Amino acid sequence: MAKQVHYSIVIVGAGSAGISVAARIVRASKRLKGQVAIIDPASKHYYQPLWTLVGGGAAKKEESERDLSSLIPAGVDWICDAVTMFQPEQHKLSTEQGSIFSYDYLVVAAGLQIDWDGVKGLKDAVGKNGVCSNYAYHTVDSTWEAIRSFKGGTAIFTHPNTPVKCGGAPQKIMYLADEYFRKLQVRNQSEIIFASAKGSIFDVPTYANTLNDVIRRKNIETRYKQNLIEVRADTKEAVFENLDTKEQAVWKYDILHVTPPMKAPDFIKNSTLADAGGWVDVDPYTLVHKRFPTIFGIGDCANLPTSKTGAAIRKQAPVVVKNLLALINGYPLEAKYDGYTSCPLVTGYNKLVLAEFDYNQMPCETFPFDQSEERFSMYLMKRELLPILYWNGMLKGLM
Amino acid sequence: MFLEDLSDPEVQEAITVLIRKLPKIKDTVLAAEEGLEVATSILRDQESLRYLFERVDGQLSRFFVEKESIDALFTLLEKMPKLVKYVSVLEQAADFLESLGKDKQSQQYVLAGMKAYIAPVSSQVEHGVAVIREAKVRAEGNSEPVSVFRLFKLMKDPTVQKTLRFTQSLLEVLAEKSKK
């Protein structure tokens, strides 16, 4: 017979969102200590924003990795298991190891799933012969290897036709590569192409203007509405489909940096928690589920119409916790998330545009200067300060 | 009227209960009487009372608050929501620093980052110091007088030329500024 355990609050996923929420709950209510469980099968936790710099040779990947056990807040039980099925009507969920967890309140913070199989030939090709990707711990080294050993030729950087974590990341690594190619003195013998399924370089015009200047200055060719559908590793060819005309084109590459397609985790997609796209169907302001009032969704797995970033989670976590505690205490849900997200757009080894905006794609900047300009100070902040604030502030429920 | 009440079964039951409890009531009344006597005796014992109040006065004098303090307390209560906000921020900052203090990996990360920025500057400084040291050693070991021909040869050196041009320009600028 399956083991049954009850917790007042169950959090699914121990990524940035899950740990932040757990830490905030036990900080805000001592009474809930021992009443909160966080379920995640992983043993390691990664500070993924660093992977852009790892791929560019400006940081070590080991600096982005920590044992998950060291990050679980005191008073929270970590269940090292994978959720397989939700039964929201019964306030229950099942796990891979056969346990059943019942709960009063549920927070779904399961992140997203990289779909390596979404591009034909990619799974086998990635990590060797010039095909690289910053999007996994085991492949990020291959990007730096490809960049530093580049002898000239065609370097293609892709952006898929799906939501991605950190919408700016596919182009950041391209800017670092351009600078490094100049350092290697191979830039004159090379062509850099940004092949994106999107229709422009960035959704927010203020920052798009700066990025278009960067692209002109770096002499990068942009090809929009182009979606990578196949990698032919043996002939070093990439097949793209034009999203408007459906025409296919085959381009030769020497480096192919792939931002893989991403999707909602299957166990969410196949549940009644999901919307038509497979993401957790939440109210975009209160973050409570649209049909199940004791369930919240946060982070990459939620169907929020904003860029999926850690910075967005930093603003979502306090909203989820305030509304969750209000719900427990019988008060109205007054905390509102405005869609804030941030993308530190690295444009070189010492330059960065700090984009911050909301649901209306209106800039909402933190600093009292024009953040759409490339700045060394902002690069320093990303490289040196943000990791510290992440480990010791955000994951501790402090900021 | 009284007899009518007595015929009421409820009243009869109450009287029965009271009669049964009479011994206990008697004991209680006696104990209360004794207590009253003790209290009366104490109140009459002026000396003991004076002694007691003097001691209490001495012990509690430091807790006696003036009106000013009470007013301040109420002002503080009014400001409490704001103070709690600041204290929460301070608590968060303290917790962050405490966490950072224990986080060896983050400390290593900061240290490595700082070293990376300092390394190019410090290597340049080290190079400059090494050049000066070597020049000093050579100059001390060379007692030959510098001839006019040697001076002409030295003046052809690009570094000397650059320095001279800078000196010349500096003198010109200084002259112009002093005229103004």
Side-chain angles (χ1 to χ4, degrees), chain A residues 27 50 63 65-66 376 379-380 383-384 387-389 391-393 396 398-399, chain B residues 91-93 95-96 99-101 103-107 109-110 112-114 117:
Chain A
R27 283 186 74 83
L50 202 67
E63 289 167 347
E65 184 190 57
R66 294 212 180 170
F376 176 56
Y379 178 84
L380 269 185
R383 174 73 179 82
E384 309 300 340
I388 311 292
L389 295 179
W391 297 116
N392 299 289
K396 304 283 175 192
L398 295 167
M399 53 185 67
Chain B
E91 189 195 12
Q92 285 187 342
D95 285 353
F96 172 72
S99 167
L100 189 59
D103 184 358
K104 299 284 175 222
Q105 278 172 279
S106 288
Q107 289 166 16
Y109 184 83
V110 173
M114 279 167 67
Y117 292 110

Side-chain angles (χ1 to χ4, degrees), chain A residues 47-49 52 135 159 164-173 175 194 198 201-204 206-208 210-211 306-315 337 339-347 351-358 361-367 371-375 378-379 381-383 386:
Chain A
Y47 176 62
Q48 297 180 30
T52 291
Y135 283 85
H159 187 133
V164 294
K165 40 186 166 187
C166 190
Q171 54 189 289
K172 294 178 201 175
I173 185 63
Y175 301 137
F194 184 52
K198 300 193 80 173
I201 192 71
F202 205 74
D203 291 336
V204 184
T206 318
Y207 306 115
T210 305
L211 295 172
T306 192
S307 182
K308 296 180 185 299
T309 65
I313 290 166
R314 191 172 70 82
K315 294 283 185 181
Y337 171 59
Y340 169 91
T341 191
S342 172
C343 187
L345 292 151
V346 177
T347 55
K351 290 190 214 92
L352 187 142
V353 171
L354 184 62
E356 292 180 288
F357 50 96
D358 59 15
Q361 307 208 327
M362 291 302 292
C364 36
E365 301 185 339
T366 305
F367 297 100
Q371 290 178 205
S372 68
E373 275 180 30
E374 295 172 86
R375 288 175 192 275
M378 295 293 95
Y379 178 84
M381 188 189 71
K382 178 186 168 66
R383 174 73 179 82
L386 290 184

Side-chain angles (χ1 to χ4, degrees), chain A residues 11-25 38 40 45-46 48 68 73 107-112 287 296-302 304 309-318 320-321 390 394-397 399:
Chain A
I11 300 166
V12 178
S16 312
I19 294 181
S20 294
V21 166
R24 281 178 179 273
I25 288 172
I38 191 162
D40 198 307
H45 180 104
Y46 300 100
Q48 297 180 30
L68 181 54
V107 179
V108 186
L112 51 67
L287 307 179
F296 290 81
I298 179 173
D300 294 355
C301 69
L304 301 169
T309 65
I313 290 166
R314 191 172 70 82
K315 294 283 185 181
Q316 290 162 15
V320 165
V321 174
Y390 179 76
M394 191 172 151
L395 294 190
K396 304 283 175 192
M399 53 185 67

Side-chain angles (χ1 to χ4, degrees), chain A residues 105-183:
Chain A
Y105 305 93
L106 177 71
V107 179
V108 186
L112 51 67
Q113 189 174 310
I114 290 190
D115 186 12
W116 294 108
D117 292 317
V119 175
K120 192 180 167 189
L122 175 61
K123 201 173 177 179
D124 294 330
V126 71
K128 45 190 185 282
N129 295 326
V131 182
C132 53
S133 180
N134 277 355
Y135 283 85
Y137 189 73
H138 70 279
T139 63
V140 66
D141 281 336
S142 64
T143 307
W144 176 230
E145 186 52 39
I147 290 173
R148 73 192 183 100
S149 56
F150 189 57
K151 303 278 187 292
T154 304
I156 302 176
F157 295 82
T158 73
H159 187 133
N161 186 27
T162 63
V164 294
K165 40 186 166 187
C166 190
Q171 54 189 289
K172 294 178 201 175
I173 185 63
M174 175 174 71
Y175 301 137
L176 291 181
D178 164 82
E179 197 170 319
Y180 202 78
F181 294 164
R182 287 170 200 274
K183 198 176 163 188

